[in-house]
Amino acid sequence: MKPPKIEPQVTGKRNKKKIDSPPAAKPHIPFQDRPEEPELPPSPCQHMQFLDCNLEIGRVIFECYHCQQGIISEYTGDPVIGEYKGRPSVIFAKVKCPNCEQTAIRLQAREVLSITAIPSPWQ
């Protein structure tokens, strides 16, 4: 004995798409015919070079973030770990620029030993 055949129930209309048709694509625009996009403004960056990283006293040559004055600095020690909002966080050693008196760089070091202004090697 065969079980009775059950017909599917249709409760609403369905949006029928043709299976054969490819999906709608944007028209191809060759590279040379594309409209010119505006160039983004340059973002500030900071040149730096670390020296003697494996020694007890390390050196870093960098430019001030604000005035691009060249600076060489000596530092020592592992970074100090403090607490910020209940979580461990590195406390940065702030190095002030001798030219503009603003924070030139923040180093992950225990102590900054010296700060010397030099001509910038990148200009």
Side-chain angles (χ1 to χ4, degrees), residues 76-84 87-95 105-112:
T76 186
D78 291 330
V80 178
I81 303 296
E83 191 173 303
Y84 179 73
R87 296 181 181 220
S89 179
V90 174
I91 298 175
F92 292 95
K94 294 181 180 178
V95 179
I105 196 170
R106 299 181 322 154
L107 295 175
Q108 290 186 7
R110 183 171 302 280
E111 183 180 7
V112 176

Side-chain angles (χ1 to χ4, degrees), residues 27-37:
H28 176 70
I29 301 172
F31 184 74
Q32 63 270 18
D33 295 338
R34 292 184 184 172
E36 196 64 33
E37 292 182 10

Side-chain angles (χ1 to χ4, degrees), residues 58-62 71-75 95 107 112 114-116:
R59 294 181 297 158
V60 60
I61 300 172
F62 59 96
I71 302 170
I72 186 167
S73 181
E74 292 182 328
Y75 62 92
V95 179
L107 295 175
V112 176
S114 68
I115 303 165
T116 308

